[in-house]
Amino acid sequence: MKRLSAPWYIATALVCTFLAFATHSSQWLLVENFEQSELKNWTIVDTQNDTNPFIANPQITEIRTEIRTDDDNKFLIKKPAKDGLVGNRKALSFTSLPKTVDVGQINTFYTEISVESFPNNHAFGLSNLNAEGIIKSGYNAFEPILRVTDKYESNGFKNDGTLMVKVDSDDKYRQYSKIQNFSADKPASPLKTSQWYKIWFVVNNKLVVNGGQTYDVYVQGGEFLEQTLVFKQADFRMKRELPLNYFFAICNTGSHKKPYGNGGLRYDNIYMSKGINLSLPSALPLKK
């Protein structure tokens, strides 16, 4: 029998790896990439507008264009109000998922975020309520939730802009945890402004008794040069054990007496995939 040469084996391995990656990448379903000129199929509502003097519809949630040397890119900017305007406490934006995550399923969600500026107070994630329920419940509409803020908490604790996840705690002021740099054995660094971060969050929508209602988070960007696990088994906020059906984002400026600030958070390229999928959606443009 003729012995096959080493280069043949190497080439075959590379082809198999490429095909496996391509197949895995093709499993991604697009939620939103914001490449259209106007925002469609999103509900945008301010449910606690305490601006004084009153300004109707103060939040800014719109598609903008990032001018780059290689090509331009459209993204969503979300701000509770224009700079200097406070009192808009719950600026909501949400859109339905292309496929429901049923109870018992594990799905992976991918998105990219970029902090326009601090100070701010933002959160995003998934909900298992209908549109009316999201509008009524506000923050309690979330299940998996990721938080970006440098606000002071009510007990005087100062956040520093590190990406956070939800954790169960008896301390009402410690309901979130910073993501971690496990290799350095310390919390991750605060998010840098004007830099894009890739985020994968693997959502376990099984029942609590089966180890579900949790999510794992992976990040690439900033100190994480490669895709890195930054938190294991964060907790769903409410644990309603219902099908997940909306991507949901919220922000607020704080009250007039204790304003948080209203720096924006940029979103782009929201995808979902059945199971654990840590590949990069194949249709994504390269971000710098």
Side-chain angles (χ1 to χ4, degrees):
M1 179 180 294
K2 183 178 180 181
R3 184 180 295 273
L4 296 173
S5 63
W8 185 91
Y9 284 116
I10 294 173
T12 301
L14 290 173
V15 169
C16 290
T17 300
F18 171 78
L19 290 175
F21 179 82
T23 300
H24 214 45
S25 296
S26 66
Q27 296 174 357
W28 288 104
L29 295 176
L30 177 65
V31 178
E32 180 65 84
N33 61 9
F34 307 108
E35 289 304 313
Q36 67 274 18
S37 58
E38 296 182 0
L39 193 61
K40 299 178 181 179
N41 302 318
W42 284 75
T43 298
I44 301 173
V45 60
D46 302 309
T47 61
Q48 190 179 345
N49 182 356
D50 296 334
T51 55
N52 186 17
F54 181 80
I55 298 176
N57 305 316
Q59 79 165 285
I60 299 170
T61 299
E62 62 190 20
I63 294 175
R64 291 184 181 172
T65 300
E66 180 181 28
I67 306 300
R68 306 185 304 189
T69 56
D70 49 357
D71 64 338
D72 296 340
N73 174 62
K74 290 185 173 65
F75 61 89
L76 181 77
I77 182 70
K78 182 169 176 62
K79 296 165 66 75
K82 67 180 182 179
D83 293 338
L85 179 64
V86 300
N88 193 26
R89 305 303 308 277
K90 294 178 183 176
L92 281 60
S93 305
F94 55 92
T95 188
S96 60
L97 300 176
K99 190 172 184 180
T100 297
V101 181
D102 292 329
V103 176
Q105 289 185 338
I106 295 175
N107 273 234
T108 303
F109 286 80
Y110 173 89
T111 191
E112 297 168 8
I113 64 168
S114 173
V115 178
E116 178 202 43
S117 64
F118 289 107
N120 67 42
N121 184 25
H122 289 264
F124 63 95
L126 307 174
S127 180
N128 47 24
L129 300 181
N130 59 21
E132 292 77 12
I134 292 173
I135 291 171
K136 179 180 179 180
S137 300
Y139 284 94
N140 285 340
F142 281 111
E143 291 292 1
I145 178 173
L146 295 103
R147 188 187 191 201
V148 178
T149 187
D150 60 339
K151 70 180 281 290
Y152 281 95
E153 302 293 359
S154 299
N155 66 340
F157 176 79
K158 177 69 163 61
N159 293 291
D160 63 5
T162 301
L163 184 66
M164 291 187 286
V165 297
K166 178 71 176 67
V167 292
D168 289 342
S169 173
D170 294 331
D171 184 346
K172 68 176 182 178
Y173 298 113
R174 292 290 185 270
Q175 293 296 310
Y176 295 92
S177 173
K178 296 179 182 180
I179 62 170
Q180 301 294 304
N181 185 330
F182 291 115
S183 63
D185 194 26
K186 65 179 183 180
S189 300
L191 297 171
K192 297 179 180 179
T193 58
S194 302
Q195 178 171 339
W196 285 98
Y197 292 80
K198 297 179 175 69
I199 299 174
W200 294 256
F201 51 110
V202 180
V203 174
N204 184 341
N205 201 30
K206 295 180 181 180
L207 301 176
V208 172
V209 295
N210 294 328
Q213 306 298 285
T214 64
Y215 57 108
D216 300 339
V217 182
Y218 298 76
V219 170
Q220 183 178 358
E223 68 202 279
F224 302 110
L225 301 181
E226 305 293 337
Q227 180 191 76
T228 305
L229 175 67
V230 295
F231 209 91
K232 186 76 173 176
Q233 291 189 318
D235 296 296
F236 279 24
R237 184 180 178 103
M238 306 302 293
K239 299 183 180 65
R240 280 177 285 253
E241 299 180 331
L242 294 171
L244 298 161
N245 48 17
Y246 279 92
F247 180 89
F248 175 37
I250 191 170
C251 58
N252 78 68
T253 66
S255 66
H256 286 274
K257 291 183 178 180
K258 294 183 178 180
Y260 303 150
N262 47 14
L265 188 64
R266 304 180 181 108
Y267 295 87
D268 204 357
N269 297 321
I270 307 170
Y271 285 80
M272 64 179 292
S273 176
K274 186 176 180 180
I276 300 174
N277 185 352
L278 300 180
S279 70
L280 194 66
S282 57
L284 291 183
L286 179 64
K287 265 192 171 53
K288 296 183 178 179

